[in-house]
Amino acid sequence: MFSTDTKHKQSQHDPHETGHSHAHENHDKIHSHKHSHEHEHTHKHNGAHCSHDHDHVVQETSPLELTANQRFNWIIHGMDCPSCAGKIENAVKKLPEAKQVKVLFTTEKLVVDSDVDIRAAVEKAVKQAGFEIKETDSSPKLPPATNHWKTFSPILILAALMFASWGISSINAPAGQIAFIITTLIGLYPVATKAIKLIRSGTPFAIETLMSVAAIGALFIDATAEAAMVILLFKLGEILESYAAGRARRGVSALMALVPDQALLVKDGKKKTVSAAELRPGDIIEVAPGARLPTDAELLSPFASFDESALTGESVPVERQQGEKVAAGCLSVDSAVQMRVISEPGHNAIDRILQLIEEAEERRAPIERFIDRFSRIYTPLIILFSALVVLIPPLFFAGSWENWIYRGLTLLLIGCPCALVISTPAAITSALAAATRRGSLIKGGAALEQLGAVTTIALDKTGTLTEGKPQVTDIEPAENITTETVLALAGAVESGSHHPLAKSILEAAERKGVTIVEAEQRKALAGIGVEGQLSGQRILVSAPERLPENTLSADWKQRVADLESSGKTAVAVMQDKQFMGLIAMQDTLRQDAIDTIRLLKKQGVQAIMLTGDNPRAAAAIAGQLGIDYRAGLLPEDKVKAVTELNKNHHTMMVGDGINDAPAMKAASIGVAMGSGTDVALETADAALTHNRLTGLAEIIALSRTTHYNIRQNITIALGLKAIFLITSLLGITGLWMAVLADSGATALVTANAIRLLRVKLQK
């Protein structure tokens, strides 16, 4: 079957697809997707969980060359902000046996690759750095319920002691001083303990160290009330950061909660409740109405409705027919249904999305990497500057030691980089969560940043701009040939194929009651069409222009031109060397395609359609949309076209994520259209899981809004520090104001970033 721009999605359950790829653009496409998750496996090694899944661990700028043959996984508790992840990495990287170390802040996971059993050493290093660690396997786990008393009790106790100290000082000043010292020491003990642990583990300039130095220094110059206030405000800042981290992780936890732990297995006519981890491809399960799927599965019942909103953002239940695939986490709406399991444990749609979220953290935005590097230099410089402020005025200008020590300590607190460090990841995490809620998966800060710079979008036609479900519109038999004969011959070579155009021919044959006899030796002829043997005769379904010269008369060539001019795709049916007739099919434009192009133009983004379809059919679709097009393209031609566009424009390529992989790789950024069950999610830099074209304009708008939000955050963080740096040097503001400024900046930056979760994008 000849296809001009329609996707050819292979199915492992389809024996007819082997060696049967459709000609020209999409039938000659490169299926270059790496099924990395399919090859991942886990085994026990001295009781440890180790998996050869090394292609997921990458550096910030380039992939790592992994040599370790074991992988160990832990869950870390106590990380309040992304800088905590860096502290843990520093601690573990000091171990000589650790080949690769990665802390995934969003999922609270520590992953270490090593040639030996390194568990005990890693756990010791992390505990010494002041964090809780618990060994786990590589599969996602729901985080434990939050212990609110454990979270809020330290600050409540400290606040109570502060009020008590103020009360005592109003009655008896010397006793009040002692009360403030005791309050400071009680609050300082966990902070100083953690600071010492971090210094030992390789993080000397942590915020805990700065706070400890400032509080102790304040006690030495008798600023006892301010020392206690410094610790109280620091604790408040920690809670704010913890809240931000919790908001960032909440979406991930919600995803994990979608998949039930148990399933109802149907075997030999009997039903038995089993663990979802025991399910294997081919097992039959029953899903009750109102229950969620524990795994990806294929519908065995005639039809059923599923609520897929958790994965796609679509609130309206979707009707699925027998044989269609449904993703894990989807909810059976109104009936009990039987389904066949199609995914291995740990590889369902939710698992893949969670793994992609983890990988997204490794693909950090350039601005995020810059801020991280800047903060590492910034903190030591501030410490040096504070030391000079303490020493130079008293030594060279007869300044008061007490006065300048106080100002130096104030500067030390102003130098805390918390607000600056969290400014970018907080915004990016919120934006990625907001995109996920809208049914778009953006793979990390780098992809998010690239989206905002897009000026040109190259769009595949079939399945992207059109529905990808063509219908037979015209059947024109040659003289003395019946319509049924043309359909029967075409159906013979298309029997068993899952290709959209092939399916449209088979559906037309079924509607007309034509019996299809499956042809033998079916195979694709690259760039020509599909052929097979039926009753000893060669049957060919081909693009008219690929037929030998003079096969079609002038009248038939004109008829082909007329069909194609009206936006239809025509194919010729041949029996041996005899022309039997034409079949014309037409795909319908997506309902949201015109709106999408309008929104993109409003954003200053130009669109161009790249298709393998004939120029006349392409012109009809492009004309409806008011965009430019390039037609008759093979996969390699698409790559050349995108490469050419990239020379002068920041180009996005939009396709199905597998068949358009070469062009996607050539573009600045690739976006896949498809459902949450499609492994195409792993191919592109972003994916529209809801399959709505308007999502393209949404993610570009979200990227630009996020970039603006990050600039605001950096301005808030550095602006407040600059103001208080000047006022502290002039002696206008003191210690507690410095901490309040830092905590206030952290709170403002966090609140500003969380706004992205609810931002309304331009329509």
Side-chain angles (χ1 to χ4, degrees):
M1 174 66 221
F2 171 76
S3 164
T4 49
D5 191 42
T6 306
K7 303 301 174 221
H8 179 197
K9 296 183 186 279
Q10 290 181 325
S11 168
Q12 62 181 353
H13 305 296
D14 181 13
H16 304 296
E17 293 295 306
T18 306
H20 175 76
S21 66
H22 291 252
H24 207 32
E25 184 229 15
N26 295 293
H27 308 155
D28 223 10
K29 284 185 177 182
I30 301 169
H31 295 263
S32 62
H33 172 63
K34 275 195 319 180
H35 295 272
S36 58
H37 295 305
E38 304 297 334
H39 301 299
E40 182 183 345
H41 61 279
T42 305
H43 65 273
K44 296 278 185 178
H45 177 84
N46 296 330
H49 292 273
C50 319
S51 69
H52 297 278
D53 183 27
H54 296 155
D55 53 335
H56 295 315
V57 181
V58 295
Q59 285 179 326
E60 291 179 1
T61 54
S62 63
L64 293 173
E65 295 180 5
L66 298 176
T67 54
N69 56 21
Q70 298 178 47
R71 167 158 291 182
F72 302 91
N73 298 274
W74 292 268
I75 293 295
I76 305 293
H77 297 300
M79 290 192 292
D80 295 325
C81 72
S83 62
C84 294
K87 295 171 186 175
I88 295 166
E89 284 184 10
N90 287 340
V92 180
K93 281 177 181 174
K94 290 176 70 177
L95 300 173
E97 300 90 351
K99 292 291 181 72
Q100 316 295 345
V101 181
K102 189 66 191 174
V103 177
L104 305 166
F105 175 69
T106 303
T107 49
E108 299 181 283
K109 188 187 286 186
L110 166 63
V111 180
V112 180
D113 292 315
S114 175
D115 289 328
V116 297
D117 187 348
I118 197 176
R119 289 174 297 161
V122 169
E123 288 169 15
K124 183 179 178 183
V126 173
K127 286 174 182 174
Q128 285 180 344
F131 296 90
E132 295 177 33
I133 182 169
K134 182 181 178 184
E135 189 176 359
T136 182
D137 58 27
S138 59
S139 59
K141 293 286 188 298
L142 271 171
T146 304
N147 187 329
H148 293 296
W149 171 247
K150 188 177 179 181
T151 302
F152 294 105
S153 59
I155 194 168
L156 291 175
I157 291 168
L158 203 57
L161 289 172
M162 280 290 293
F163 281 116
S165 301
W166 262 314
I168 293 168
S169 64
S170 63
I171 299 168
N172 186 315
Q177 287 278 81
I178 295 168
F180 277 123
I181 291 171
I182 293 168
T183 301
T184 303
L185 293 175
I186 290 171
L188 182 61
Y189 176 75
V191 179
T193 303
K194 190 167 185 178
I196 293 166
K197 288 178 178 179
L198 289 170
I199 290 168
R200 286 176 178 170
S201 65
T203 310
F205 300 122
I207 177 61
E208 289 81 3
T209 307
L210 301 183
M211 287 296 162
S212 300
V213 171
I216 293 167
L219 291 179
F220 272 104
I221 59 171
D222 287 333
T224 53
E226 289 184 277
M229 181 60 81
V230 163
I231 300 298
L232 179 64
L233 291 173
F234 172 62
K235 290 287 185 186
L236 180 63
E238 276 193 325
I239 287 176
L240 287 171
E241 289 180 359
S242 181
Y243 170 75
R247 286 298 297 266
R249 295 184 183 118
R250 201 172 296 169
V252 176
S253 301
L255 272 177
M256 293 181 190
L258 286 177
V259 183
D261 295 328
Q262 294 185 320
L264 191 62
L265 181 67
V266 181
K267 195 170 185 179
D268 300 327
K270 296 179 181 177
K271 299 175 184 177
K272 183 174 74 168
T273 301
V274 299
S275 166
E278 295 177 30
L279 296 176
R280 294 293 181 272
D283 286 347
I284 308 299
I285 58 171
E286 185 169 291
V287 182
R292 293 190 181 275
L293 272 67
T295 182
D296 294 349
E298 184 182 278
L299 184 63
L300 296 179
S301 303
F303 64 89
S305 296
F306 291 92
D307 180 350
E308 301 181 355
S309 58
L311 279 175
T312 66
E314 291 288 355
S315 56
V316 179
V318 179
E319 287 283 343
R320 294 294 181 191
Q321 304 298 318
Q322 188 173 26
E324 288 194 83
K325 296 173 184 177
V326 186
C330 293
L331 185 140
S332 176
V333 177
D334 50 16
S335 60
V337 291
Q338 289 204 345
M339 310 194 75
R340 180 184 290 112
V341 176
I342 59 172
S343 63
E344 293 281 353
H347 297 293
N348 64 48
I350 300 291
D351 293 323
R352 288 199 298 274
I353 290 172
L354 290 168
Q355 286 164 340
L356 289 169
I357 289 170
E358 289 184 351
E359 289 168 27
E361 287 194 48
E362 298 163 5
R363 298 168 183 158
R364 303 173 74 193
I367 190 170
E368 188 175 358
R369 292 198 294 269
F370 170 75
I371 292 294
D372 196 36
R373 288 195 299 270
F374 176 74
S375 66
R376 291 175 194 171
I377 301 165
Y378 164 84
T379 307
L381 283 177
I382 286 290
I383 291 172
L384 177 62
F385 183 57
S386 300
L388 293 176
V389 166
V390 169
L391 297 172
I392 291 174
L395 289 177
F396 297 100
F397 302 101
S400 163
W401 278 101
E402 184 176 332
N403 187 24
W404 285 103
I405 286 172
Y406 183 86
R407 293 185 188 185
L409 293 173
T410 305
L411 288 179
L412 195 66
L413 295 182
I414 289 170
C416 167
C418 282
L420 184 63
V421 169
I422 204 171
S423 62
T424 305
I428 286 173
T429 302
S430 295
L432 295 179
T436 304
R437 286 182 181 181
R438 289 177 168 87
S440 304
L441 183 66
I442 302 171
K443 301 182 184 178
L448 183 68
E449 191 167 322
Q450 291 273 5
L451 283 167
V454 166
T455 56
T456 300
I457 293 186
L459 297 121
D460 185 40
K461 182 173 80 73
T462 306
T464 301
L465 288 171
T466 62
E467 295 286 353
K469 296 176 181 177
Q471 299 293 322
V472 171
T473 56
D474 303 85
I475 303 169
E476 301 196 5
E479 192 175 351
N480 300 322
I481 305 297
T482 65
T483 299
E484 287 75 15
T485 301
V486 175
L487 270 179
L489 291 173
V493 292
E494 295 296 354
S495 180
S497 174
H498 284 261
H499 190 281
L501 292 189
K503 287 168 78 172
S504 70
I505 289 174
L506 295 170
E507 285 168 3
E510 187 178 346
R511 283 197 302 272
K512 288 186 175 290
V514 175
T515 303
I516 299 296
V517 178
E518 198 171 290
E520 298 174 349
Q521 300 175 31
R522 298 189 307 281
K523 64 179 179 180
L525 303 174
I528 298 173
V530 178
E531 70 170 7
Q533 294 289 327
L534 185 66
S535 302
Q537 293 183 310
R538 177 178 180 256
I539 310 300
L540 172 68
V541 178
S542 169
E545 63 268 23
R546 303 295 178 180
L547 293 174
E549 193 70 30
N550 300 323
T551 300
L552 297 180
S553 66
D555 288 343
W556 280 110
K557 286 180 180 177
Q558 183 57 47
R559 185 58 190 142
V560 168
D562 292 342
L563 289 168
E564 291 180 347
S565 295
S566 62
K568 297 175 183 178
T569 299
V571 294
V573 181
M574 304 287 295
Q575 184 174 28
D576 281 340
K577 294 185 179 180
Q578 181 186 355
F579 172 67
M580 304 298 286
L582 291 176
I583 299 176
M585 289 153 284
Q586 188 170 34
D587 201 355
T588 54
L589 198 65
R590 282 179 181 269
Q591 291 183 351
D592 58 355
I594 294 172
D595 286 341
T596 299
I597 299 302
R598 176 181 57 80
L599 287 170
L600 290 172
K601 285 180 178 176
K602 203 171 179 181
Q603 293 174 332
V605 178
Q606 296 302 310
I608 181 169
M609 182 175 74
L610 304 181
T611 176
D613 209 342
N614 65 78
R616 287 186 289 265
I621 294 292
Q624 292 180 59
L625 295 170
I627 61 174
D628 194 8
Y629 70 94
R630 295 184 191 177
L633 303 179
L634 293 168
E636 54 268 32
D637 298 327
K638 278 192 176 183
V639 173
K640 289 175 187 174
V642 169
T643 304
E644 192 66 30
L645 286 169
N646 252 349
K647 289 179 182 176
N648 301 310
H649 307 276
H650 199 88
T651 306
M652 174 198 293
M653 175 66 198
V654 185
D656 74 358
I658 298 176
N659 296 329
D660 290 314
M664 283 183 172
K665 293 299 179 188
S668 301
I669 187 164
V671 176
M673 301 290 292
S675 70
T677 59
D678 199 337
V679 290
L681 286 173
E682 298 170 34
T683 306
D685 301 296
L688 303 181
T689 59
H690 51 40
N691 225 21
R692 283 198 311 267
L693 262 181
T694 48
L696 294 172
E698 284 186 0
I699 58 177
I700 290 172
L702 182 63
S703 172
R704 293 176 180 178
T705 304
T706 303
H707 198 67
Y708 181 60
N709 188 281
I710 289 170
R711 291 202 301 271
Q712 288 177 330
N713 284 349
I714 292 171
T715 302
I716 292 168
L718 292 180
L720 280 173
K721 288 185 185 301
I723 291 167
F724 281 90
L725 180 72
I726 295 166
T727 55
S728 297
L729 279 173
L730 296 175
I732 298 170
T733 53
L735 277 175
W736 70 272
M737 277 300 292
V739 182
L740 189 60
D742 179 69
S743 295
T746 303
L748 285 172
V749 163
T750 302
N752 193 40
I754 287 173
R755 281 194 313 117
L756 288 169
L757 291 169
R758 296 181 296 275
V759 69
K760 295 193 186 316
L761 302 177
Q762 189 179 30
K763 294 287 182 184

